[in-house]
Amino acid sequence: MNIVWFKRDLRLSDHAPLKAAIEDGESFLMLYIWEPSVMADPHYSPRHWNFVQQSLDDLNSQLSAGNALLSITVLEGDAEAVFTAIHKKYQLKKVFSYEETGLKITYDRDKILTKYFKENNIEWREFQTNGIVRKLKNRENWSELWKTHMHQKIDEPDWTKLRNPCLVFDEENEIYKQFLPKKYYLNNDKEPKPIFQPGGETYAHRYLQSFLNDRAKNYSKTISKPLEARKSCSRLSPYIAWGNLSIRQVYQYTQNAKKRVSYRRDLENFSSRLHWHCHFIQKFEMEDRMEFENINRGYDNLQKDEKQHFIEQWQAGKTGYPLVDACMRCVCETGYLNFRMRAMVVSFLTHQLFQHWKEGAVFLAQQFLDFEPGIHYPQFQMQAGVTGMNTVRMYNPVKQSQDHDPHGIFIKTWVKELENCPENFIHEPWKMTPMEQDLYNFRLGENYPFPIIDLEQTTKFAKDKLWGIRKNIEVKAESKRILSKHVVHRKKKK
Ligand SMILES: Cc1cc2nc3c(=O)[nH]c(=O)nc-3n(C[C@H](O)[C@H](O)[C@H](O)COP(=O)(O)OP(=O)(O)OC[C@H]3O[C@@H](n4cnc5c(N)ncnc54)[C@H](O)[C@@H]3O)c2cc1C
Protein backbone atom coordinates (compact mmCIF):
# COMPACT_ATOMS: atom_id res chain seq x y z
CA MET A 1 0.00 0.00 0.00
CA ASN A 2 0.94 3.68 -0.25
CA ILE A 3 0.48 6.59 2.12
CA VAL A 4 -0.35 10.25 1.59
CA TRP A 5 1.14 11.92 4.63
CA PHE A 6 -0.52 15.24 5.50
CA LYS A 7 1.71 17.63 7.42
CA ARG A 8 1.28 21.41 7.15
CA ASP A 9 -0.75 21.02 3.94
CA LEU A 10 -4.22 20.46 5.37
CA ARG A 11 -6.29 20.85 2.21
CA LEU A 12 -7.72 18.72 -0.56
CA SER A 13 -7.26 20.98 -3.54
CA ASP A 14 -3.96 22.02 -5.15
CA HIS A 15 -2.48 19.00 -3.43
CA ALA A 16 0.28 17.41 -5.54
CA PRO A 17 0.94 14.37 -3.26
CA LEU A 18 -2.75 13.44 -3.22
CA LYS A 19 -3.03 13.88 -6.98
CA ALA A 20 0.04 11.70 -7.54
CA ALA A 21 -1.17 8.99 -5.16
CA ILE A 22 -4.51 8.75 -7.00
CA GLU A 23 -2.73 8.56 -10.35
CA ASP A 24 -0.30 5.92 -9.03
CA GLY A 25 -3.22 3.49 -8.84
CA GLU A 26 -2.20 1.57 -5.70
CA SER A 27 -4.45 1.62 -2.62
CA PHE A 28 -3.44 4.38 -0.25
CA LEU A 29 -4.07 5.61 3.25
CA MET A 30 -4.46 9.31 3.93
CA LEU A 31 -2.62 9.88 7.18
CA TYR A 32 -2.10 12.63 9.73
CA ILE A 33 0.10 12.00 12.76
CA TRP A 34 -0.10 13.89 16.04
CA GLU A 35 3.57 13.79 17.01
CA PRO A 36 4.13 14.26 20.77
CA SER A 37 7.69 15.52 20.29
CA VAL A 38 6.57 18.22 17.82
CA MET A 39 3.59 19.13 19.98
CA ALA A 40 5.87 19.58 22.98
CA ASP A 41 8.16 21.97 21.11
CA PRO A 42 8.02 25.33 22.92
CA HIS A 43 7.10 27.22 19.74
CA TYR A 44 3.69 25.59 19.71
CA SER A 45 0.71 26.02 21.98
CA PRO A 46 -2.80 24.52 22.21
CA ARG A 47 -4.23 27.17 19.88
CA HIS A 48 -2.17 25.64 17.03
CA TRP A 49 -3.41 22.11 17.65
CA ASN A 50 -6.98 23.37 17.96
CA PHE A 51 -6.55 24.89 14.49
CA VAL A 52 -5.14 21.62 13.13
CA GLN A 53 -7.99 19.64 14.73
CA GLN A 54 -10.54 21.93 13.09
CA SER A 55 -8.71 21.56 9.78
CA LEU A 56 -8.78 17.77 10.03
CA ASP A 57 -12.50 17.81 10.89
CA ASP A 58 -13.09 19.99 7.85
CA LEU A 59 -11.12 17.65 5.55
CA ASN A 60 -13.05 14.67 6.83
CA SER A 61 -16.42 16.30 6.40
CA GLN A 62 -15.50 17.34 2.85
CA LEU A 63 -14.29 13.82 2.06
CA SER A 64 -17.31 12.05 3.48
CA ALA A 65 -19.66 14.42 1.65
CA GLY A 66 -18.13 13.22 -1.64
CA ASN A 67 -17.80 9.55 -0.70
CA ALA A 68 -18.91 8.03 2.62
CA LEU A 69 -15.92 5.65 2.58
CA LEU A 70 -13.24 8.30 2.38
CA SER A 71 -11.51 9.81 5.39
CA ILE A 72 -8.14 10.78 6.78
CA THR A 73 -6.78 8.40 9.38
CA VAL A 74 -5.38 10.23 12.37
CA LEU A 75 -2.84 8.49 14.61
CA GLU A 76 -0.78 9.68 17.55
CA GLY A 77 2.84 8.71 18.14
CA ASP A 78 6.41 9.06 17.02
CA ALA A 79 6.38 9.26 13.19
CA GLU A 80 9.06 6.58 12.70
CA ALA A 81 7.23 4.20 15.06
CA VAL A 82 3.95 4.78 13.19
CA PHE A 83 5.52 4.14 9.77
CA THR A 84 7.38 1.10 11.11
CA ALA A 85 4.19 -0.46 12.46
CA ILE A 86 2.31 0.22 9.21
CA HIS A 87 5.15 -1.14 7.08
CA LYS A 88 5.38 -4.32 9.15
CA LYS A 89 1.71 -5.07 8.69
CA TYR A 90 0.96 -3.70 5.22
CA GLN A 91 4.24 -3.64 3.24
CA LEU A 92 4.53 0.03 2.49
CA LYS A 93 5.64 0.91 -1.06
CA LYS A 94 5.45 4.67 -1.40
CA VAL A 95 4.91 7.70 0.81
CA PHE A 96 3.66 10.90 -0.82
CA SER A 97 4.07 14.20 1.02
CA TYR A 98 5.08 17.84 0.68
CA GLU A 99 8.56 19.05 1.58
CA GLU A 100 8.55 20.89 4.89
CA THR A 101 10.71 23.89 5.77
CA GLY A 102 10.31 23.81 9.51
CA LEU A 103 11.93 23.87 12.91
CA LYS A 104 14.88 21.66 13.86
CA ILE A 105 12.48 19.19 15.47
CA THR A 106 10.70 18.41 12.18
CA TYR A 107 13.93 18.58 10.14
CA ASP A 108 15.49 15.94 12.43
CA ARG A 109 12.39 13.79 12.17
CA ASP A 110 12.53 14.00 8.37
CA LYS A 111 16.20 12.95 8.39
CA ILE A 112 15.35 9.90 10.52
CA LEU A 113 12.54 9.00 8.15
CA THR A 114 14.68 9.45 5.04
CA LYS A 115 17.07 6.86 6.49
CA TYR A 116 14.26 4.53 7.55
CA PHE A 117 12.51 4.67 4.18
CA LYS A 118 15.79 4.12 2.34
CA GLU A 119 16.74 1.09 4.46
CA ASN A 120 13.31 -0.42 3.89
CA ASN A 121 13.03 0.28 0.16
CA ILE A 122 10.11 2.61 0.64
CA GLU A 123 9.99 5.40 -1.91
CA TRP A 124 9.39 8.82 -0.34
CA ARG A 125 8.05 11.16 -3.01
CA GLU A 126 8.28 14.69 -1.67
CA PHE A 127 6.75 17.60 -3.59
CA GLN A 128 7.87 21.20 -3.64
CA THR A 129 5.97 23.50 -1.26
CA ASN A 130 4.94 26.97 -2.45
CA GLY A 131 7.91 27.33 -4.79
CA ILE A 132 10.54 26.81 -2.08
CA VAL A 133 13.57 25.16 -3.68
CA ARG A 134 15.72 22.65 -1.82
CA LYS A 135 19.54 22.73 -1.95
CA LEU A 136 19.74 26.14 -3.59
CA LYS A 137 23.18 27.79 -3.37
CA ASN A 138 22.12 31.36 -4.11
CA ARG A 139 19.15 33.36 -5.33
CA GLU A 140 20.17 34.04 -8.93
CA ASN A 141 17.16 32.41 -10.63
CA TRP A 142 14.85 31.93 -7.70
CA SER A 143 12.30 34.63 -8.53
CA GLU A 144 11.83 33.26 -12.06
CA LEU A 145 11.38 29.74 -10.70
CA TRP A 146 8.86 31.06 -8.18
CA LYS A 147 6.87 32.86 -10.86
CA THR A 148 6.81 29.75 -13.04
CA HIS A 149 5.51 27.73 -10.10
CA MET A 150 2.80 30.32 -9.37
CA HIS A 151 1.56 30.22 -12.96
CA GLN A 152 1.48 26.45 -13.24
CA LYS A 153 -1.84 24.64 -13.30
CA ILE A 154 -3.33 23.88 -9.88
CA ASP A 155 -2.69 20.26 -8.81
CA GLU A 156 -6.30 19.17 -8.56
CA PRO A 157 -6.68 15.55 -7.40
CA ASP A 158 -9.02 13.75 -9.77
CA TRP A 159 -11.03 11.33 -7.63
CA THR A 160 -12.65 9.80 -10.71
CA LYS A 161 -9.25 8.24 -11.50
CA LEU A 162 -9.22 6.28 -8.23
CA ARG A 163 -8.68 2.66 -9.25
CA ASN A 164 -8.53 1.00 -5.82
CA PRO A 165 -10.50 1.92 -2.71
CA CYS A 166 -8.74 4.17 -0.23
CA LEU A 167 -7.71 2.61 3.03
CA VAL A 168 -9.02 3.86 6.36
CA PHE A 169 -8.03 2.50 9.80
CA ASP A 170 -11.19 2.18 11.85
CA GLU A 171 -11.37 1.87 15.63
CA GLU A 172 -10.96 -1.91 15.45
CA ASN A 173 -7.71 -1.67 13.52
CA GLU A 174 -4.70 -2.91 15.54
CA ILE A 175 -2.48 -0.02 14.50
CA TYR A 176 -5.21 2.47 15.29
CA LYS A 177 -5.49 0.98 18.75
CA GLN A 178 -1.71 1.09 19.18
CA PHE A 179 -1.50 4.77 18.18
CA LEU A 180 -4.83 5.92 19.55
CA PRO A 181 -5.31 9.62 18.77
CA LYS A 182 -6.85 12.19 21.09
CA LYS A 183 -8.88 15.22 19.99
CA TYR A 184 -7.15 18.55 20.42
CA TYR A 185 -9.86 21.15 20.87
CA LEU A 186 -9.19 24.09 23.13
CA ASN A 187 -10.92 24.09 26.44
CA ASN A 188 -13.44 26.74 25.63
CA ASP A 189 -14.81 26.97 29.16
CA LYS A 190 -11.98 29.29 30.05
CA GLU A 191 -12.85 32.95 30.63
CA PRO A 192 -12.28 35.13 28.72
CA LYS A 193 -13.04 32.99 25.72
CA PRO A 194 -10.28 33.00 23.12
CA ILE A 195 -11.19 34.62 19.83
CA PHE A 196 -9.21 32.72 17.24
CA GLN A 197 -9.84 32.32 13.53
CA PRO A 198 -11.42 28.93 12.87
CA GLY A 199 -9.25 26.39 11.07
CA GLY A 200 -10.04 24.50 7.87
CA GLU A 201 -10.02 24.70 4.10
CA THR A 202 -13.69 25.77 3.97
CA TYR A 203 -13.09 28.79 6.18
CA ALA A 204 -9.87 29.56 4.30
CA HIS A 205 -11.81 29.96 1.04
CA ARG A 206 -14.42 32.12 2.75
CA TYR A 207 -11.72 34.47 4.05
CA LEU A 208 -10.09 34.53 0.62
CA GLN A 209 -13.32 35.36 -1.19
CA SER A 210 -14.47 38.02 1.27
CA PHE A 211 -11.06 39.64 1.01
CA LEU A 212 -10.83 39.66 -2.76
CA ASN A 213 -14.45 40.67 -3.29
CA ASP A 214 -14.71 43.35 -0.67
CA ARG A 215 -12.31 43.73 2.27
CA ALA A 216 -9.23 44.38 0.09
CA LYS A 217 -10.45 47.79 -1.02
CA ASN A 218 -8.95 49.40 2.09
CA TYR A 219 -5.86 47.17 2.17
CA SER A 220 -3.10 49.68 1.39
CA LYS A 221 -4.69 52.53 3.32
CA THR A 222 -5.08 50.68 6.60
CA ILE A 223 -2.41 47.96 6.52
CA SER A 224 -0.49 49.58 9.39
CA LYS A 225 -3.48 50.34 11.62
CA PRO A 226 -3.83 47.84 14.45
CA LEU A 227 -7.62 48.03 14.45
CA GLU A 228 -8.59 48.50 10.82
CA ALA A 229 -6.00 46.03 9.48
CA ARG A 230 -7.80 43.24 11.27
CA LYS A 231 -10.56 43.60 8.69
CA SER A 232 -8.87 45.02 5.63
CA CYS A 233 -5.84 42.70 5.58
CA SER A 234 -6.57 39.27 4.18
CA ARG A 235 -6.15 37.37 7.49
CA LEU A 236 -5.07 34.43 5.37
CA SER A 237 -1.84 33.84 7.28
CA PRO A 238 -2.96 30.89 9.48
CA TYR A 239 -4.64 29.25 6.49
CA ILE A 240 -1.43 29.52 4.50
CA ALA A 241 0.81 28.51 7.41
CA TRP A 242 -1.15 25.30 8.03
CA GLY A 243 -1.68 24.68 4.35
CA ASN A 244 -5.47 25.15 4.17
CA LEU A 245 -4.52 27.17 1.08
CA SER A 246 -1.45 27.03 -1.13
CA ILE A 247 0.27 30.27 -2.08
CA ARG A 248 -0.37 29.37 -5.72
CA GLN A 249 -4.13 29.21 -5.15
CA VAL A 250 -4.13 32.60 -3.44
CA TYR A 251 -1.91 34.04 -6.18
CA GLN A 252 -4.09 32.78 -9.03
CA TYR A 253 -7.39 33.83 -7.42
CA THR A 254 -5.85 37.26 -6.87
CA GLN A 255 -4.68 37.55 -10.49
CA ASN A 256 -8.24 36.80 -11.61
CA ALA A 257 -9.79 39.21 -9.13
CA LYS A 258 -7.50 41.98 -10.42
CA LYS A 259 -9.32 41.81 -13.76
CA ARG A 260 -12.70 42.64 -12.26
CA VAL A 261 -12.20 45.03 -9.32
CA SER A 262 -11.46 48.74 -9.06
CA TYR A 263 -8.92 48.29 -6.23
CA ARG A 264 -6.30 46.62 -8.42
CA ARG A 265 -3.43 48.42 -6.78
CA ASP A 266 -4.42 47.07 -3.37
CA LEU A 267 -4.37 43.58 -4.80
CA GLU A 268 -0.97 44.21 -6.34
CA ASN A 269 0.39 45.22 -2.93
CA PHE A 270 -1.15 42.13 -1.46
CA SER A 271 0.30 39.93 -4.20
CA SER A 272 3.80 41.20 -3.55
CA ARG A 273 3.46 39.91 0.01
CA LEU A 274 2.78 36.43 -1.28
CA HIS A 275 6.20 36.65 -2.89
CA TRP A 276 7.71 37.88 0.39
CA HIS A 277 6.14 34.93 2.16
CA CYS A 278 8.12 32.50 0.03
CA HIS A 279 11.21 34.72 -0.12
CA PHE A 280 11.57 34.53 3.67
CA ILE A 281 10.91 30.82 3.83
CA GLN A 282 13.51 30.26 1.11
CA LYS A 283 15.97 32.18 3.26
CA PHE A 284 15.24 29.94 6.23
CA GLU A 285 15.41 26.85 4.03
CA MET A 286 18.95 27.89 3.06
CA GLU A 287 20.05 28.95 6.54
CA ASP A 288 17.97 27.24 9.21
CA ARG A 289 20.45 27.94 12.04
CA MET A 290 18.50 31.21 12.30
CA GLU A 291 16.25 29.38 14.75
CA PHE A 292 19.12 29.47 17.23
CA GLU A 293 21.77 31.95 16.11
CA ASN A 294 22.14 35.43 14.68
CA ILE A 295 22.20 35.13 10.91
CA ASN A 296 25.06 37.64 11.00
CA ARG A 297 27.60 36.08 13.36
CA GLY A 298 29.20 39.48 13.92
CA TYR A 299 26.25 40.35 16.19
CA ASP A 300 27.31 37.65 18.65
CA ASN A 301 29.63 40.41 19.89
CA LEU A 302 26.65 42.57 20.89
CA GLN A 303 26.22 41.97 24.61
CA LYS A 304 22.73 42.32 26.04
CA ASP A 305 22.12 41.85 29.77
CA GLU A 306 19.11 39.67 30.33
CA LYS A 307 16.48 41.37 32.46
CA GLN A 308 13.80 38.80 33.13
CA HIS A 309 11.41 41.36 34.61
CA PHE A 310 11.51 43.35 31.35
CA ILE A 311 10.66 40.23 29.35
CA GLU A 312 7.81 39.38 31.70
CA GLN A 313 6.37 42.90 31.63
CA TRP A 314 6.55 42.89 27.84
CA GLN A 315 4.84 39.49 27.65
CA ALA A 316 2.08 40.53 30.05
CA GLY A 317 1.44 43.86 28.33
CA LYS A 318 2.51 45.88 31.37
CA THR A 319 5.28 48.11 30.07
CA GLY A 320 3.43 51.39 30.64
CA TYR A 321 3.47 52.11 26.89
CA PRO A 322 -0.22 51.80 25.93
CA LEU A 323 0.15 50.68 22.32
CA VAL A 324 2.80 48.06 23.15
CA ASP A 325 0.63 46.75 25.98
CA ALA A 326 -2.52 46.68 23.83
CA CYS A 327 -0.68 44.74 21.11
CA MET A 328 0.75 42.18 23.50
CA ARG A 329 -2.58 41.56 25.21
CA CYS A 330 -4.38 41.42 21.89
CA VAL A 331 -2.03 38.86 20.34
CA CYS A 332 -2.28 36.65 23.42
CA GLU A 333 -6.07 36.71 23.24
CA THR A 334 -6.62 36.53 19.50
CA GLY A 335 -3.46 35.06 17.94
CA TYR A 336 -3.15 37.94 15.48
CA LEU A 337 -1.40 41.28 15.01
CA ASN A 338 -0.82 43.15 11.78
CA PHE A 339 2.70 43.44 10.40
CA ARG A 340 3.53 46.94 11.66
CA MET A 341 2.51 46.12 15.21
CA ARG A 342 4.50 42.85 15.16
CA ALA A 343 7.53 44.83 14.07
CA MET A 344 6.92 47.46 16.76
CA VAL A 345 6.66 45.02 19.69
CA VAL A 346 9.84 43.25 18.55
CA SER A 347 11.60 46.59 18.16
CA PHE A 348 10.51 47.58 21.67
CA LEU A 349 11.77 44.32 23.15
CA THR A 350 15.08 44.17 21.36
CA HIS A 351 15.99 47.87 21.15
CA GLN A 352 14.29 49.90 23.87
CA LEU A 353 14.31 47.06 26.42
CA PHE A 354 17.59 45.86 24.89
CA GLN A 355 16.84 42.16 25.24
CA HIS A 356 17.99 39.28 23.05
CA TRP A 357 15.46 38.21 20.41
CA LYS A 358 15.47 34.51 21.38
CA GLU A 359 12.97 34.37 24.25
CA GLY A 360 10.65 36.84 22.55
CA ALA A 361 10.67 34.83 19.34
CA VAL A 362 9.52 31.67 21.08
CA PHE A 363 6.89 33.56 23.09
CA LEU A 364 5.37 35.20 20.02
CA ALA A 365 5.51 31.94 18.06
CA GLN A 366 3.24 30.45 20.74
CA GLN A 367 0.84 33.38 20.34
CA PHE A 368 0.75 33.72 16.54
CA LEU A 369 -1.90 31.38 15.18
CA ASP A 370 -0.06 31.72 11.86
CA PHE A 371 3.35 30.74 13.27
CA GLU A 372 5.51 29.96 10.25
CA PRO A 373 9.16 29.28 11.23
CA GLY A 374 10.48 30.39 7.85
CA ILE A 375 8.92 33.85 8.12
CA HIS A 376 9.05 34.28 11.87
CA TYR A 377 12.80 33.87 12.39
CA PRO A 378 14.06 35.94 9.44
CA GLN A 379 11.54 38.70 10.30
CA PHE A 380 12.39 38.60 13.99
CA GLN A 381 16.10 38.93 13.29
CA MET A 382 15.51 41.69 10.77
CA GLN A 383 13.43 43.70 13.25
CA ALA A 384 15.98 43.02 15.98
CA GLY A 385 18.60 44.56 13.69
CA VAL A 386 21.02 41.62 13.66
CA THR A 387 21.26 40.98 9.93
CA GLY A 388 23.75 43.75 9.25
CA MET A 389 22.27 44.46 5.83
CA ASN A 390 18.74 45.78 6.40
CA THR A 391 17.90 49.28 7.61
CA VAL A 392 17.42 49.10 11.36
CA ARG A 393 13.98 50.39 12.28
CA MET A 394 13.43 51.55 15.83
CA TYR A 395 9.78 52.28 16.25
CA ASN A 396 8.68 54.97 18.66
CA PRO A 397 5.57 53.43 20.28
CA VAL A 398 4.14 56.85 21.16
CA LYS A 399 4.41 58.09 17.59
CA GLN A 400 3.05 54.79 16.24
CA SER A 401 0.13 55.17 18.57
CA GLN A 402 -0.57 58.78 17.55
CA ASP A 403 -0.29 57.86 13.85
CA HIS A 404 -2.13 54.56 13.75
CA ASP A 405 -4.54 54.59 16.69
CA PRO A 406 -5.15 58.35 17.04
CA HIS A 407 -8.31 58.05 19.13
CA GLY A 408 -6.95 55.20 21.21
CA ILE A 409 -9.79 52.86 20.27
CA PHE A 410 -7.50 49.85 19.85
CA ILE A 411 -5.70 50.71 23.08
CA LYS A 412 -8.91 51.03 25.06
CA THR A 413 -10.19 47.71 23.69
CA TRP A 414 -7.22 45.84 25.14
CA VAL A 415 -6.01 47.95 28.04
CA LYS A 416 -9.18 48.25 30.08
CA GLU A 417 -7.37 50.27 32.77
CA LEU A 418 -7.21 53.13 30.27
CA GLU A 419 -10.87 52.96 29.29
CA ASN A 420 -11.68 56.32 30.87
CA CYS A 421 -8.45 58.00 29.88
CA PRO A 422 -9.17 61.08 27.74
CA GLU A 423 -7.91 61.09 24.16
CA ASN A 424 -5.26 63.75 24.75
CA PHE A 425 -3.49 61.48 27.29
CA ILE A 426 -4.14 58.06 25.82
CA HIS A 427 -0.74 57.83 24.10
CA GLU A 428 1.20 59.19 27.10
CA PRO A 429 -0.85 58.66 30.26
CA TRP A 430 2.18 59.48 32.41
CA LYS A 431 1.73 63.10 31.40
CA MET A 432 -1.39 63.39 33.56
CA THR A 433 -0.96 65.40 36.74
CA PRO A 434 -2.14 63.78 40.00
CA MET A 435 -5.14 66.13 39.90
CA GLU A 436 -6.08 65.02 36.40
CA GLN A 437 -5.65 61.41 37.47
CA ASP A 438 -8.14 62.01 40.32
CA LEU A 439 -10.54 63.56 37.85
CA TYR A 440 -10.56 60.38 35.74
CA ASN A 441 -10.57 58.07 38.73
CA PHE A 442 -7.21 56.64 37.81
CA ARG A 443 -3.84 56.28 39.59
CA LEU A 444 -0.63 55.72 37.67
CA GLY A 445 1.45 53.09 39.40
CA GLU A 446 -1.72 51.49 40.79
CA ASN A 447 -4.22 51.04 37.92
CA TYR A 448 -1.63 51.15 35.17
CA PRO A 449 2.19 51.07 35.37
CA PHE A 450 4.53 53.98 34.91
CA PRO A 451 6.66 53.46 31.77
CA ILE A 452 9.28 50.83 32.61
CA ILE A 453 11.96 52.64 30.61
CA ASP A 454 12.77 56.14 29.44
CA LEU A 455 12.09 55.96 25.71
CA GLU A 456 14.45 58.72 24.64
CA GLN A 457 17.40 57.43 26.64
CA THR A 458 16.98 53.77 25.70
CA THR A 459 16.44 54.56 22.01
CA LYS A 460 19.66 56.59 21.95
CA PHE A 461 21.53 53.85 23.79
CA ALA A 462 20.32 51.17 21.36
CA LYS A 463 21.09 53.33 18.31
CA ASP A 464 24.64 53.99 19.51
CA LYS A 465 25.22 50.28 20.11
CA LEU A 466 23.71 49.11 16.82
CA TRP A 467 25.25 51.82 14.66
CA GLY A 468 28.57 51.18 16.40
CA ILE A 469 28.65 47.46 15.78
CA ARG A 470 27.84 47.88 12.09
CA LYS A 471 31.43 49.04 11.64
CA ASN A 472 32.81 45.82 13.14
CA ILE A 473 34.80 43.87 10.52
CA GLU A 474 33.10 40.58 11.34
CA VAL A 475 29.67 42.18 10.88
CA LYS A 476 30.78 43.60 7.53
CA ALA A 477 32.23 40.30 6.33
CA GLU A 478 29.08 38.46 7.36
CA SER A 479 26.87 41.04 5.64
CA LYS A 480 28.76 40.37 2.42
CA ARG A 481 28.31 36.62 2.84
CA ILE A 482 24.57 37.04 3.51
CA LEU A 483 24.15 39.32 0.51
CA SER A 484 25.80 36.88 -1.85
CA LYS A 485 23.74 33.97 -0.55
CA HIS A 486 20.30 35.50 -0.08
CA VAL A 487 20.07 38.50 -2.39
CA VAL A 488 19.85 38.64 -6.18
CA HIS A 489 22.63 40.60 -7.84
CA ARG A 490 21.59 42.55 -10.86
CA LYS A 491 23.85 41.71 -13.80
CA LYS A 492 25.96 44.71 -14.78
CA LYS A 493 25.32 46.00 -18.32
CA LYS A 494 28.40 45.88 -20.52
C1 LIG B 1 8.46 39.71 14.00
C2 LIG B 1 7.52 39.20 12.95
C3 LIG B 1 7.14 37.88 12.96
C4 LIG B 1 6.28 37.39 11.98
N1 LIG B 1 5.91 36.07 12.03
C5 LIG B 1 5.08 35.57 11.10
C6 LIG B 1 4.67 34.20 11.14
O1 LIG B 1 5.07 33.45 12.03
N2 LIG B 1 3.82 33.77 10.17
C7 LIG B 1 3.37 34.58 9.17
O2 LIG B 1 2.60 34.12 8.31
N3 LIG B 1 3.78 35.87 9.09
C8 LIG B 1 4.60 36.39 10.02
N4 LIG B 1 4.98 37.71 9.94
C9 LIG B 1 4.64 38.50 8.73
C10 LIG B 1 3.33 39.31 8.76
O3 LIG B 1 3.24 40.10 9.89
C11 LIG B 1 2.10 38.41 8.66
O4 LIG B 1 2.24 37.52 7.58
C12 LIG B 1 0.83 39.21 8.39
O5 LIG B 1 0.66 40.18 9.39
C13 LIG B 1 -0.36 38.25 8.37
O6 LIG B 1 -1.56 38.94 8.21
P1 LIG B 1 -2.42 38.81 6.87
O7 LIG B 1 -2.57 37.40 6.46
O8 LIG B 1 -3.68 39.58 7.09
O9 LIG B 1 -1.45 39.55 5.87
P2 LIG B 1 -1.67 40.21 4.42
O10 LIG B 1 -1.11 41.57 4.49
O11 LIG B 1 -3.06 40.05 3.96
O12 LIG B 1 -0.66 39.37 3.51
C14 LIG B 1 -1.02 38.16 2.84
C15 LIG B 1 -0.02 37.10 3.12
O13 LIG B 1 1.29 37.48 2.69
C16 LIG B 1 2.27 37.00 3.61
N5 LIG B 1 2.93 38.13 4.25
C17 LIG B 1 2.40 39.33 4.56
N6 LIG B 1 3.32 40.14 5.09
C18 LIG B 1 4.46 39.45 5.11
C19 LIG B 1 5.78 39.74 5.53
N7 LIG B 1 6.11 40.92 6.03
N8 LIG B 1 6.72 38.78 5.40
C20 LIG B 1 6.42 37.58 4.89
N9 LIG B 1 5.19 37.24 4.47
C21 LIG B 1 4.22 38.16 4.58
C22 LIG B 1 1.51 36.15 4.64
O14 LIG B 1 1.48 34.83 4.22
C23 LIG B 1 0.13 36.77 4.60
O15 LIG B 1 -0.87 35.88 5.03
C24 LIG B 1 5.83 38.24 10.93
C25 LIG B 1 6.22 39.58 10.94
C26 LIG B 1 7.05 40.07 11.94
C27 LIG B 1 7.46 41.51 11.93
Side-chain angles (χ1 to χ4, degrees), residues 452-464:
I452 59 171
I453 42 115
D454 178 316
L455 200 61
E456 215 173 296
Q457 266 179 23
T458 51
T459 304
K460 183 177 179 322
F461 176 81
K463 274 186 181 165
D464 290 348

Side-chain angles (χ1 to χ4, degrees), residues 275-303:
H275 184 267
W276 294 2
H277 174 107
C278 305
H279 158 78
F280 281 107
I281 299 180
Q282 184 67 50
K283 211 180 222 188
F284 192 68
E285 169 69 31
M286 290 162 72
E287 200 148 357
D288 62 348
R289 63 180 188 83
M290 262 191 266
E291 183 185 340
F292 305 100
E293 299 167 13
N294 292 319
I295 182 168
N296 186 318
R297 294 179 182 92
Y299 284 87
D300 296 350
N301 301 313
L302 183 67
Q303 288 302 320

Side-chain angles (χ1 to χ4, degrees), residues 400-413:
Q400 290 301 311
S401 178
Q402 287 159 343
D403 290 351
H404 299 302
D405 187 28
H407 307 296
I409 300 171
F410 179 76
I411 292 174
K412 290 184 180 193
T413 309

Side-chain angles (χ1 to χ4, degrees), residues 223-228 321-324 327 338-345 347-348 352 393-408 410-411 426-428 455:
I223 190 166
S224 297
K225 316 262 174 235
L227 191 65
E228 291 87 336
Y321 285 93
L323 188 61
V324 174
C327 285
N338 61 323
F339 171 78
R340 172 68 67 108
M341 295 301 117
R342 292 185 197 208
M344 183 197 67
V345 295
S347 157
F348 190 77
Q352 280 103 356
R393 290 190 202 287
M394 273 180 216
Y395 293 90
N396 176 331
V398 175
K399 185 171 183 313
Q400 290 301 311
S401 178
Q402 287 159 343
D403 290 351
H404 299 302
D405 187 28
H407 307 296
F410 179 76
I411 292 174
I426 193 71
H427 312 291
E428 299 168 290
L455 200 61

Side-chain angles (χ1 to χ4, degrees), residues 21-22 25-26 28 67 70 158-166:
I22 293 171
E26 193 81 41
F28 64 89
N67 177 341
L70 286 178
D158 182 354
W159 290 98
T160 61
K161 287 192 178 153
L162 198 66
R163 271 177 271 156
N164 282 301
C166 271

Side-chain angles (χ1 to χ4, degrees), residues 67 105 119 130 186-187 204 219 225 287 294 401 436 462:
N67 177 341
I105 183 98
E119 283 168 1
N130 291 331
L186 273 176
N187 173 10
Y219 183 73
K225 316 262 174 235
E287 200 148 357
N294 292 319
S401 178
E436 282 161 336

Side-chain angles (χ1 to χ4, degrees), residues 176-194:
Y176 186 84
K177 284 192 210 157
Q178 189 183 344
F179 298 100
L180 201 63
K182 284 189 274 304
K183 294 271 186 188
Y184 286 96
Y185 298 110
L186 273 176
N187 173 10
N188 272 332
D189 299 336
K190 272 194 203 153
E191 282 298 339
K193 284 206 168 77

Side-chain angles (χ1 to χ4, degrees), residues 219 233-237 240 270 273 276-277 280 336-339 342-343 346 368 370-372 375-376 379-380 383:
Y219 183 73
C233 279
S234 71
R235 307 294 305 268
L236 290 176
S237 52
I240 299 172
F270 166 74
R273 276 151 181 96
W276 294 2
H277 174 107
F280 281 107
Y336 181 79
L337 268 187
N338 61 323
F339 171 78
R342 292 185 197 208
V346 173
F368 292 161
D370 59 25
F371 171 53
E372 171 61 65
I375 300 178
H376 194 68
Q379 274 288 357
F380 224 98
Q383 304 304 335

